[in-house]
Amino acid sequence: MADGSRSVRGGGGSPGSSPVLGGRCRGWAPSAVPPGHGFRRVTLTKPTFCHYCTDFIWGLAGYQCEVCNFMSHEKCLKNVKIPCSCIAPSLVRVPVAHCFGPPGHYKRKFCTVCRKSLESPAFRCEVCELHVHTDCILFACSDCRQCHQDGHQDQAHAACYIIVTPECTFGRLRNMILPPSCVQLFSRNFSKLHCFRISENLQAESEEDDDVDGSTQVSAKDVQISTDSSKQTLKIFDGNDAVKRNQFRLISIPRIAKNEEVVEAALRAYYINDDQQEYELQTFTQQALLSDDVINRNDAAEDSNSGSVFRESVPEAWIIRAKPKDEEVIRIYPAWLKVGMAYVSLRVNKESTTQSVIKEVLPLLGRQTECLQNFKLVEVLMGSKQVQRMVLDSQELILNRLKDIRKTSIRQMNQTRFYVVENSKSIVRVNLFIGGLPPQLSPEEYTNILKDELAIKTNVVSVSHVYQAQGAVVLEISCFSEAERIYMLVKDTTVNDKPLNAVVIPEVMASKIPQNCWPLLVFVNPKSGGLKGRDLLHSFRKLLNPHQVFELTNGGPLPGFHTFSKVPSFRVLVCGGDGTVGWVLGALEEIRHKLVCSEPSVAILPLGTGNDLGRVLRWGAGYSGEDPYSVLISVDEADDVLMDRWTILLDAEEPADGAENGVAEPEPPKIVQMNNYCGLGIDAELSLDFHHAREEEPGKFNSRFHNKGVYVKVGLQKISHTRNLHKDIKLQVDQREVELPSIEGLIFINIPSWGSGADLWGSDSDDRFEKPRIDDGLLEVVGVTGVVHMGQVQGGFRSGIRIAQGSYFRVTLLKPIPVQVDGEPWIQAPGQIIISAAGPKVHMLKKSKQKQKKTGSLKEMRVDSMAVSEGGR
């Protein structure tokens, strides 16, 4: 081999192209020359912003990249770190596909490929916030964040930038991020949406009004058509695949232009920065485009394009081809062999085979003593939606393979790499959480149900975990195709008229979690808070590892707690109303004996209507769009406090004659958990009416303001209502009979907030009772005389009637009475209600009173957790 035919490029400082976890942007190595850009001075005819510094470009002149439209101040040119779209694929170290949902409208966003604003439906990556036009998605490469290991590599994360340390430290959020090196997920055969448990039905819903641009859809192809009479527009195909799919790019050229100029424009349209002398254009007629034998027709006409000048009469459709080569230099990437280099350059010729390439590469990697049969050459196509791998045959001719790829698509060639990989026996282990099964069955009974309903193959499927109380199991599957079959089949399967649900869950390797790391397990109810939960889901997936963010409408809290069951220390953030918080705390109580960290601390981001627990713990009356990053900082700095929880046993007896509200039979005994309060009488009756109104028209209950308006309306309807509750119930407190005053409502309160922030107990001192606390092991019992009294309490003019304080309560219902626990109402039949302490106190996180030292400190911390601003996106 001639001198200079090999080269080894160091990888320690090799620039990456994926953002770090905890950050929002991409960045590349600074250089004196902007990486890959072809800037030219342009005259500005409308307000324009610099894609580097994001400031307005004053004056009439700016500098724009001819390939990717990146716009910059003249003063910013020397500082531009973001590479041109044409070289972005070459900067990727670990290819990671993006997680795109259905296309939608995004306001004030820019395409990562062409840098133009998103005035038409576009795609958004749910993990790294990359935005791209539908026409540009083919040119976006697989440079997303790496959030887990998939069995192919040991890297902790996708390539971080050279401007930060080689090992990503995750910035300010390092203590709460689940490191990707600790997460393993065998994800082949599953889409990114499935891997990150993203509900496709939520993605398909329309964006909120403030996120929707009302402009009509305009195709990027139409935008490129020139109206200048001195120019002509040509269709350019980049290979056989584009011809078959009729996917082309439009270029605008002078009516008389040289071949070289047209080839250069065609390469620029496909974001190819190779030497234009290596390419040529071939022509075919529009009729040939519609022919089944289009490729053969085109190949037969290869020599017809010998003219050096394009004139007005040329055909409108062309195909760009790479000229054949007798030899060329290719890059071989050492995959995950940990040799400290980015790639090896080799010169290959017509005789070079896969085996000969591996033989030449191994000595350069320090593996000269190893057997060739222990390695393979893998072709990797770094598409934006999927990373495709194909093992090359040992005798395959490399130049022929390159020719085939370019003939298919020169764009794909720009996104294709070759990796030398060490052979190893792959172990497949896919974990599927299956919920919706009948509760309280044995593992054998669950296995038999799955055999009958899903026809599982027991030689590759086993039940690894059983949650009998919840009716759920975790399957460990050693075959990708079987895992995919079961996952898809579960969607259409019901057991005892109850639909099953399946969730792909990762495996967290607890031994690899740093000692000072307390990962944050995030639960979000996307339907809470006027649907603000959907936006929070996206924000937290972007700021944290998506594998630690769980959507409660997709399997409930159990998949999240199971995923974190082996984590030695973690915290929980619940985004939802008080009912959602109670749901998660109840699930935690049921599963805590299976958790290594049995008492995680729980923070709240209030999204509901009342949010009384969130108010008590200083998280506010409700989420109103605060920066999710600052929310995470507040969670990290919050104080740990204890809170009582209570068990309520409902034991109905035979109803008395003349039972009301249609109650005809006794209800079976049931147990519910209480965190905030339990109400009987008028309080529960209002909650029940609100609940019925919401069930009738759920679409209208999407804002906190509307919900409170409905409460007021149902309250006014009950203002003249009279119910002598004290005659219909009997109360015992700590084994003592308590005489009730004339009241319409009886409320047991655990926290000093009721009915959206009202202080029902009051602040006046009383020698009969202790000062209430949320961790004193006591409940306060308060009465209200009616709707007017409740309104006065909520207005701060009165407090309730203090009745008792204790730790054990027995209420005897003499007739059916409305009951509500933490906002969940129903009609309770006559019988006994017993309230007692529910096991250990729960650890909650109370927002710290300590303020930021100065206004800019939060911004400084945020910059510490992200790469340089990309500006144009």
Side-chain angles (χ1 to χ4, degrees):
M1 181 173 291
D3 293 341
S5 62
R6 311 177 186 177
S7 65
V8 178
R9 177 166 177 166
S14 177
S17 59
S18 299
V20 296
L21 287 169
R24 289 189 171 181
C25 310
R26 288 172 170 76
W28 282 265
S31 59
V33 179
H37 289 291
F39 282 108
R40 61 185 175 88
R41 185 184 176 95
V42 294
T43 301
L44 305 178
T45 58
K46 59 182 179 179
T48 307
F49 293 86
C50 176
H51 289 166
Y52 172 72
C53 69
T54 73
D55 289 340
F56 184 77
I57 300 180
W58 296 96
L60 299 177
Y63 287 82
Q64 185 179 38
C65 176
E66 292 183 305
V67 177
C68 70
N69 298 307
F70 191 96
M71 184 67 69
S72 173
H73 289 108
E74 182 178 9
K75 65 180 181 181
C76 294
L77 284 177
K78 61 181 180 181
N79 298 318
V80 172
K81 306 173 183 66
I82 301 172
C84 181
S85 301
C86 65
I87 68 167
S90 67
L91 302 180
V92 177
R93 285 189 62 189
V94 180
V96 180
H98 291 282
C99 180
F100 293 116
H105 292 275
Y106 301 99
K107 199 172 183 179
R108 297 184 296 275
K109 298 294 182 181
F110 295 86
C111 176
T112 192
V113 174
C114 69
R115 317 291 180 184
K116 296 180 180 179
S117 61
L118 302 180
E119 297 178 351
S120 57
F123 291 99
R124 178 184 70 180
C125 177
E126 298 298 317
V127 176
C128 70
E129 205 190 18
L130 175 141
H131 292 82
V132 61
H133 287 118
T134 55
D135 288 342
C136 295
I137 194 169
L138 293 175
F139 303 96
C141 59
S142 48
D143 59 351
C144 191
R145 291 194 284 128
Q146 185 169 328
C147 302
H148 60 263
Q149 299 182 51
D150 62 2
H152 293 283
Q153 73 281 349
D154 289 330
Q155 265 74 10
H157 48 80
C160 290
Y161 322 118
I162 197 172
I163 58 172
V164 299
T165 55
E167 289 301 322
C168 181
T169 61
F170 306 130
R172 173 63 180 83
L173 304 179
R174 65 180 67 88
N175 294 332
M176 57 176 54
I177 287 178
L178 182 64
S181 60
C182 308
V183 184
Q184 189 171 54
L185 178 65
F186 295 85
S187 56
R188 202 180 76 186
N189 289 40
F190 290 102
S191 73
K192 281 301 190 93
L193 294 177
H194 295 159
C195 292
F196 295 124
R197 306 166 305 281
I198 299 175
S199 296
E200 298 179 46
N201 58 333
L202 283 179
Q203 294 302 309
E205 294 178 10
S206 60
E207 297 291 322
E208 298 290 339
D209 291 339
D210 57 354
D211 289 331
V212 176
D213 188 353
S215 60
T216 58
Q217 179 175 347
V218 179
S219 170
K221 297 181 178 68
D222 295 335
V223 173
Q224 296 178 30
I225 297 177
S226 175
T227 58
D228 190 343
S229 59
S230 64
K231 293 186 177 181
Q232 59 180 323
T233 300
L234 302 179
K235 292 180 181 178
I236 303 295
F237 297 87
D238 77 323
N240 297 352
D241 187 65
V243 172
K244 291 177 181 178
R245 299 173 185 270
N246 197 27
Q247 294 177 341
F248 54 86
R249 307 284 285 180
L250 295 180
I251 63 172
S252 180
I253 61 170
R255 294 195 176 275
I256 299 178
K258 294 183 178 179
N259 260 345
E260 293 78 6
E261 296 173 343
V262 182
V263 171
E264 184 179 359
L267 290 175
R268 191 161 57 239
Y270 281 93
Y271 302 99
I272 306 294
N273 70 333
D274 295 345
D275 185 356
Q276 54 92 9
Q277 296 293 336
E278 298 177 358
Y279 294 87
E280 61 186 2
L281 286 171
Q282 299 172 3
T283 181
F284 47 84
T285 64
Q286 186 64 31
Q287 288 75 17
L289 273 175
L290 304 176
S291 169
D292 292 335
D293 195 26
V294 57
I295 305 303
N296 293 333
R297 289 171 179 263
N298 184 65
D299 289 343
E302 284 188 4
D303 296 332
S304 63
N305 181 29
S306 57
S308 60
V309 177
F310 278 76
R311 299 186 181 276
E312 186 174 356
S313 60
V314 300
E316 65 169 359
W318 297 79
I319 184 168
I320 188 167
R321 297 285 193 187
K323 295 178 181 178
K325 299 179 181 179
D326 293 332
E327 64 175 20
E328 62 178 292
V329 176
I330 63 171
R331 294 177 177 179
I332 305 295
Y333 291 77
W336 301 277
L337 302 179
K338 296 183 178 179
V339 294
M341 60 187 64
Y343 58 80
V344 174
S345 295
L346 283 181
R347 189 177 300 276
V348 295
N349 52 39
K350 294 182 178 181
E351 285 74 36
S352 298
T353 64
T354 298
Q355 188 173 25
S356 66
V357 167
I358 295 176
K359 184 177 181 179
E360 294 181 33
V361 167
L362 289 181
L364 300 177
L365 303 180
R367 301 294 188 98
Q368 59 269 21
T369 61
E370 301 200 28
C371 180
L372 294 180
Q373 281 66 36
N374 294 337
F375 298 88
K376 57 189 175 183
L377 195 63
V378 179
E379 178 186 312
V380 177
L381 175 59
M382 304 184 299
S384 59
K385 292 184 176 181
Q386 184 181 12
V387 177
Q388 302 178 34
R389 297 178 175 89
M390 183 180 72
V391 179
L392 299 184
D393 183 84
S394 60
Q395 298 304 315
E396 181 155 11
L397 296 173
I398 299 300
L399 278 186
N400 286 352
R401 183 59 195 156
L402 296 176
K403 181 180 178 182
D404 290 343
I405 297 173
R406 292 189 176 108
K407 192 172 183 180
T408 300
S409 168
I410 62 170
R411 170 190 57 80
Q412 289 187 15
M413 186 65 233
N414 199 39
Q415 297 176 342
T416 298
R417 285 183 176 178
F418 297 96
Y419 285 83
V420 58
V421 180
E422 193 168 10
N423 287 322
S424 61
K425 186 178 180 180
S426 61
I427 300 175
V428 178
R429 187 169 61 251
V430 180
N431 294 314
L432 275 186
F433 174 92
I434 308 293
L437 295 165
Q440 305 301 340
L441 299 182
S442 66
E444 293 75 17
E445 290 174 312
Y446 284 124
T447 301
N448 290 334
I449 290 177
L450 295 175
K451 284 182 180 179
D452 295 338
E453 301 293 338
L454 304 177
I456 64 171
K457 302 174 182 177
T458 54
N459 60 322
V460 293
V461 181
S462 61
V463 178
S464 61
H465 296 81
V466 175
Y467 296 97
Q468 294 174 309
Q470 297 80 12
V473 299
V474 177
L475 301 182
E476 186 174 293
I477 308 170
S478 58
C479 174
F480 282 122
S481 59
E482 176 68 0
E484 182 185 25
R485 186 190 69 83
I486 293 175
Y487 182 86
M488 301 306 294
L489 189 59
V490 164
K491 294 181 178 181
D492 301 318
T493 303
T494 59
V495 176
N496 296 342
D497 297 325
K498 185 178 180 180
L500 300 184
N501 60 81
V503 180
V504 180
I505 53 177
E507 178 183 354
V508 177
M509 296 172 284
S511 60
K512 293 188 177 183
I513 298 178
Q515 291 184 351
N516 60 345
C517 179
W518 291 48
L520 184 68
L521 174 58
V522 180
F523 294 110
V524 181
N525 187 343
K527 297 183 178 180
S528 294
L531 304 181
K532 288 186 174 66
R534 291 191 306 170
D535 298 329
L536 287 171
L537 270 171
H538 172 68
S539 296
F540 288 139
R541 288 190 187 113
K542 176 181 58 179
L543 290 168
L544 302 171
N545 190 325
H547 289 303
Q548 63 189 108
V549 181
F550 287 79
E551 180 184 320
L552 286 172
T553 55
N554 191 8
L558 193 53
F561 283 125
H562 173 80
T563 301
F564 273 58
S565 60
K566 297 180 181 179
V567 177
S569 299
F570 68 92
R571 292 169 290 183
V572 179
L573 172 62
V574 183
C575 307
D578 287 342
T580 301
V581 176
W583 183 16
V584 173
L585 291 179
L588 173 60
E589 183 65 30
E590 293 177 343
I591 199 180
R592 68 166 68 248
H593 64 283
K594 294 189 177 183
L595 303 179
V596 174
C597 178
S598 60
E599 296 182 350
S601 299
V602 181
I604 300 171
L605 184 56
L607 299 181
T609 302
N611 301 316
D612 289 292
L613 186 54
R615 296 170 193 262
V616 171
L617 297 176
R618 297 200 195 108
W619 295 107
Y623 178 71
S624 56
E626 294 86 354
D627 184 4
Y629 179 86
S630 64
V631 171
L632 294 177
I633 296 298
S634 297
V635 171
D636 193 40
E637 297 175 346
D639 302 320
D640 191 273
V641 297
L642 294 175
M643 186 183 76
D644 299 322
R645 293 188 77 238
W646 300 84
T647 296
I648 302 178
L649 172 64
L650 303 156
D651 188 6
E653 300 173 352
E654 288 292 337
D657 293 338
E660 297 178 2
N661 298 301
V663 178
E665 296 181 0
E667 298 178 0
K670 64 179 181 180
I671 296 176
V672 297
Q673 303 293 327
M674 185 190 85
N675 302 304
N676 301 352
Y677 37 73
C678 170
L680 293 79
I682 186 63
D683 167 54
E685 194 171 339
L686 296 183
S687 295
L688 189 61
D689 289 346
F690 174 84
H691 181 72
H692 289 159
R694 183 167 56 183
E695 283 186 335
E696 291 176 0
E697 297 180 293
K700 292 185 177 181
F701 290 76
N702 55 8
S703 74
R704 201 173 292 123
F705 180 79
H706 179 269
N707 294 352
K708 291 184 178 181
V710 175
Y711 263 117
V712 172
K713 180 180 178 180
V714 298
L716 292 175
Q717 293 172 347
K718 304 286 184 179
I719 198 167
S720 60
H721 175 82
T722 300
R723 175 190 287 273
N724 296 318
L725 183 68
H726 58 288
K727 297 180 180 180
D728 299 333
I729 65 174
K730 294 180 180 179
L731 174 64
Q732 281 187 357
V733 179
D734 294 336
Q735 310 298 328
R736 292 185 301 106
E737 292 284 345
V738 175
E739 184 178 356
L740 295 174
S742 178
I743 57 175
E744 288 190 31
L746 185 69
I747 304 168
F748 299 82
I749 54 177
N750 184 46
I751 61 174
S753 179
W754 166 86
S756 300
D759 186 2
L760 191 60
W761 182 260
S763 57
D764 296 340
S765 59
D766 192 331
D767 295 337
R768 298 177 300 164
F769 307 108
E770 298 181 19
K771 184 177 180 180
R773 299 199 321 270
I774 64 174
D775 63 343
D776 58 4
L778 300 174
L779 280 180
E780 288 69 50
V781 186
V782 183
V784 292
T785 59
V787 173
V788 174
H789 187 185
M790 292 172 60
Q792 292 171 334
V793 171
Q794 291 185 330
F797 303 110
R798 290 181 63 183
S799 57
I801 301 172
R802 295 179 181 178
I803 295 176
Q805 190 179 51
S807 59
Y808 182 85
F809 307 86
R810 179 187 293 270
V811 182
T812 303
L813 305 185
L814 304 178
K815 60 188 299 187
I817 289 177
V819 175
Q820 66 99 354
V821 175
D822 291 343
E824 299 298 324
W826 68 92
I827 298 293
Q828 181 63 29
Q832 304 290 321
I833 297 179
I834 297 175
I835 305 176
S836 58
K841 304 177 190 295
V842 293
H843 290 257
M844 305 298 293
L845 288 173
K846 190 173 186 178
K847 190 174 182 179
S848 175
K849 284 185 176 181
Q850 183 179 4
K851 298 180 179 180
Q852 297 292 336
K853 295 180 181 179
K854 56 182 180 179
T855 305
S857 60
L858 183 59
K859 293 182 178 179
E860 292 169 4
M861 288 189 296
R862 185 173 188 139
V863 169
D864 180 54
S865 72
M866 63 174 68
V868 294
S869 172
E870 62 175 345
R873 193 168 307 156

